[in-house]
Amino acid sequence: MLVRMASNQQTRPGIGELAKDTANGRIGVVMGEVGARVQIRPISGGVEWDARPNNVVAPTAREELSARLAIKNANSRDGL
C-alpha cells in the first residue's frame, strides 16, 4: 500500500540528496548524520558543514536548478 503525505508535510532529505540549510541559505549534498547534526557538503565539493536537523529542507526546484547550473558553469570555465 502506497502511503502519501499531506502536501504541507515535508521530510528531511536523506543521504546523497540535495538539501538546503535554512540557517545560512547554502545548498549541498547530505553526507550523513552524527549526533544531533546533519553533515552537508557543497555540491561543488569541499569541506562539509554541520546543520541542525530542523534547518535542513529540500531545496525548491528553482534553487536546485540554480545550484546545478552554477557548478556546470564553473566546470566549463575550468575546462572540465
Side-chain angles (χ1 to χ4, degrees):
M1 180 172 142
L2 181 63
V3 177
R4 295 186 184 263
M5 294 186 338
S7 62
N8 63 349
Q9 214 176 8
Q10 292 184 345
T11 59
R12 191 170 68 236
I15 294 174
E17 295 180 327
L18 282 182
K20 178 179 178 180
D21 181 353
T22 59
N24 59 21
R26 295 174 68 188
I27 295 177
V29 178
V30 175
M31 302 306 291
E33 293 185 36
V34 175
R37 299 290 181 182
V38 177
Q39 283 74 45
I40 303 174
R41 177 174 290 159
I43 59 175
S44 60
V47 179
E48 297 173 4
W49 75 90
D50 289 338
R52 293 181 180 179
N54 292 342
N55 293 340
V56 178
V57 298
T60 65
R62 174 173 274 181
E63 290 169 331
E64 180 176 345
L65 179 60
S66 178
R68 290 185 187 278
L69 184 58
I71 297 307
K72 289 261 188 205
N73 287 339
N75 287 342
S76 146
R77 283 190 300 271
D78 295 338
L80 299 177

